[in-house]
């Protein structure tokens, strides 16, 4: 309503104005209430959105939305947007983010037992690996982070890790001599590379493409989908499948975020996480096959070296670990069927 200059607001107009104000405020308050009713959990990870793990996280978010009838949502921050894995774990401890999908390797700094996954050639097969993760050992390890305000929710498949290099293939451990190999922020990974004869260089995943491109490091190691989706193959055309470690991914929630959820919300989240696990494992298997074909088509030389010399190179390392916490878990894993 436009009031010409010199005129006062007629009584009806005043009524409309009040009505308008009250309506606007009611809408605003109800929108706020609705926003309060929706619990949004923030989840960070380092991988690209084309990675199968990202697809599984999106599936988990959809499941949560569906199971909670829209009352719970997950906002995913991919591609190291919120920092490296170590940084996001710390943010989660502070309560600044709720969930993190991380490799177990940087978790070693918080939960030493997780170091077991960084010890090379501990698992005999993928069957052995999943027997361990789905059994007592896997469950106990997920619970170990409580004193660090970290609650493990599940494991995701991250296959096995192998070397890739810029110049020249790695056929045997001696080919690593003099090479700077990027490792995750993990003591066991550093020890592994050192015992194989390379020079271990920890670098955050998000900074690795340019480190490889500029020759800051000569190579790195990872599973096929991460090698492809990070585009590291563009600068490292040799992929040597020595499969030294099977390092799973885990989803963690900060214990403060977990405790802020009602029993019902915890249940929805747990069910959604659990539903995403078989989805991720199936997707991983198909994507890994496709990935190997894509890498070959892109001209990457795939080498299948004899694993025995790599295993021999780290045999003493196994001995050395025996007295450590990771070593305690290693012995349990080795004895596990
Ligand atoms: C894997 C893992 C990532 C991790 C990366 C790395 O791809 O899934 O979580 O960041 O390895 O090497 O840093």
């Amino acid at each position: 309503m436009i009031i010409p200059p010199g005129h006062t607001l007629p009584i009806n107009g005043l009524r409309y104005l009040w009505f308008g104000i009250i309506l606007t405020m009611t809408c605003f308050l109800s929108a706020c209430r609705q926003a309060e009713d929706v619990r949004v959990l923030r989840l960070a990870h380092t991988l690209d959105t084309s990675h199968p793990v990202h697809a599984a996280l999106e599936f988990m978010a959809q499941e949560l939305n569906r199971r909670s009838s829209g009352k719970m949502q997950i906002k995913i921050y991919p591609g190291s947007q919120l920092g490296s894995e170590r940084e996001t774990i710390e943010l989660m401890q502070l309560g600044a983010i709720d969930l993190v999908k991380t490799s177990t390797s940087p978790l070693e700094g918080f939960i030493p037992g997780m170091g077991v996954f960084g010890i090379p050639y501990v698992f005999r097969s993928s069957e052995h690996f999943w027997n361990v993760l789905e059994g007592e050992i896997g469950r106990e390890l997920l619970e170990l982070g409580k004193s660090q305000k970290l609650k493990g929710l599940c494991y995701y498949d991250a296959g096995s890790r192998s070397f890739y290099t810029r110049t020249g293939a790695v056929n045997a451990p001696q080919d690593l001599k003099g090479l700077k190999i990027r490792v995750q922020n993990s003591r066991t990974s550093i020890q592994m590379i050192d015992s194989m004869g390379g020079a271990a260089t920890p670098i955050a995943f998000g900074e690795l493409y340019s480190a490889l491109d500029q020759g800051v490091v000569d190579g790195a190691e990872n599973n096929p989908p991460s090698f492809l989706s990070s585009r590291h193959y563009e600068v490292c055309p040799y992929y040597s499948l020595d499969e030294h470690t099977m390092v799973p991914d885990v989803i963690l929630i900060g214990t403060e975020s977990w405790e802020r959820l009602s029993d019902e919300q915890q249940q929805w989240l747990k069910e959604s996480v659990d539903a995403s696990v078989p989805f991720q494992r199936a997707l991983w298997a198909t994507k890994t096959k496709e990935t190997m074909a894509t890498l070959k088509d892109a001209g990457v030389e795939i080498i299948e070296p004899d694993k025995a010399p790599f295993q021999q190179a780290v045999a003493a390392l196994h001995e050395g670990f025996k007295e450590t916490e990771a070593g305690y878990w290693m012995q349990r894993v080795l004895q596990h069927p």
Side-chain angles (χ1 to χ4, degrees):
M1 184 176 59
I2 298 161
I3 305 159
H7 288 66
T8 51
L9 204 60
I11 195 78
N12 262 350
L14 246 183
R15 212 173 280 142
Y16 286 136
L17 186 64
W18 274 117
F19 181 71
I21 291 172
I22 288 166
L23 190 70
T24 316
M25 284 190 62
T26 315
C27 290
F28 177 72
L29 288 176
S30 114
C32 287
R33 208 166 302 124
Q34 264 175 25
E36 263 171 30
D37 286 349
V38 178
R39 182 81 172 82
V40 181
L41 301 175
R42 303 203 295 161
L43 181 154
H45 73 85
T46 50
L47 299 167
D48 187 71
T49 50
S50 63
H51 196 286
V53 164
H54 180 79
L57 294 170
E58 279 191 324
F59 175 85
M60 178 177 92
Q62 282 159 16
E63 281 292 301
L64 185 61
N65 191 26
R66 185 178 70 75
R67 283 166 199 267
S68 68
S69 311
K71 291 195 195 115
M72 282 182 89
Q73 280 167 18
I74 295 179
K75 171 130 182 53
I76 304 176
Y77 296 85
S80 308
Q81 273 173 39
L82 299 186
S84 68
E85 290 186 326
R86 189 179 170 88
E87 286 162 350
T88 53
I89 295 166
E90 284 167 354
L91 284 175
M92 187 168 54
Q93 286 179 310
L94 295 170
I97 49 181
D98 306 287
L99 296 148
V100 168
K101 192 298 296 166
T102 176
S103 164
T104 53
S105 288
L107 263 184
E108 279 174 47
F110 304 85
I111 310 170
M114 287 287 182
V116 63
F117 298 110
I119 306 176
Y121 301 112
V122 162
F123 296 98
R124 295 185 289 277
S125 62
S126 155
E127 197 194 355
H128 177 217
F129 178 74
W130 285 111
N131 280 346
V132 167
L133 291 191
E134 285 169 349
E136 275 298 298
I137 300 181
R139 278 194 291 276
E140 285 176 40
L141 282 168
L142 285 181
E143 291 297 310
L144 276 187
K146 286 233 173 99
S147 62
Q148 294 287 319
K149 300 189 174 180
L150 305 171
K151 179 177 169 58
L153 293 176
C154 74
Y155 296 101
Y156 273 179
D157 201 345
S160 36
R161 300 177 71 99
S162 295
F163 292 112
Y164 48 85
T165 38
R166 296 175 74 226
T167 48
V170 175
N171 291 297
Q174 50 267 34
D175 297 329
L176 291 166
K177 283 239 150 41
L179 295 191
K180 280 195 185 159
I181 301 294
R182 176 270 175 174
V183 288
Q184 299 187 81
N185 197 339
S186 123
R187 219 162 64 93
T188 52
S189 312
I190 296 174
Q191 286 168 304
M192 175 187 71
I193 301 296
D194 290 347
S195 52
M196 287 187 184
T201 312
I203 294 177
F205 191 61
E207 289 158 24
L208 183 52
Y209 185 95
S210 58
L212 287 164
D213 193 28
Q214 290 161 19
V216 175
V217 283
D218 304 296
E221 43 86 57
N222 218 319
N223 55 53
S226 302
F227 181 39
L228 178 73
S229 65
S230 60
R231 298 186 294 110
H232 294 167
Y233 70 93
E234 292 173 357
V235 277
C236 292
Y238 304 95
Y239 194 24
S240 184
L241 304 179
D242 70 307
E243 303 188 316
H244 43 259
T245 45
M246 297 182 80
V247 182
D249 276 357
V250 284
I251 300 179
L252 300 161
I253 186 164
T255 49
E256 281 175 21
S257 296
W258 177 253
E259 279 150 20
R260 271 200 300 271
L261 299 179
S262 67
D263 288 353
E264 191 182 39
Q265 289 173 326
Q266 289 182 353
Q267 187 62 21
W268 286 328
L269 179 60
K270 237 193 110 354
E271 285 168 8
S272 312
V273 170
D274 291 349
S276 75
V277 170
F279 176 89
Q280 192 271 339
R281 296 250 306 262
L283 190 65
W284 184 268
T286 33
K287 286 289 170 192
T288 301
K289 270 197 203 121
E290 281 172 30
T291 296
M292 293 313 290
T294 312
L295 289 172
K296 272 187 201 147
D297 290 350
V300 174
E301 190 179 321
I302 314 276
I303 300 108
E304 294 195 26
D306 179 8
K307 289 183 192 168
F310 291 92
Q311 287 163 340
Q312 280 151 18
V314 297
L317 195 63
H318 277 205
E319 275 304 308
F321 268 114
K322 278 193 178 145
E323 301 307 314
T324 67
E325 204 173 327
Y328 159 77
W329 293 96
M330 175 185 78
Q331 296 188 60
R332 282 185 64 181
V333 167
L334 290 173
Q335 283 155 20
H336 198 279

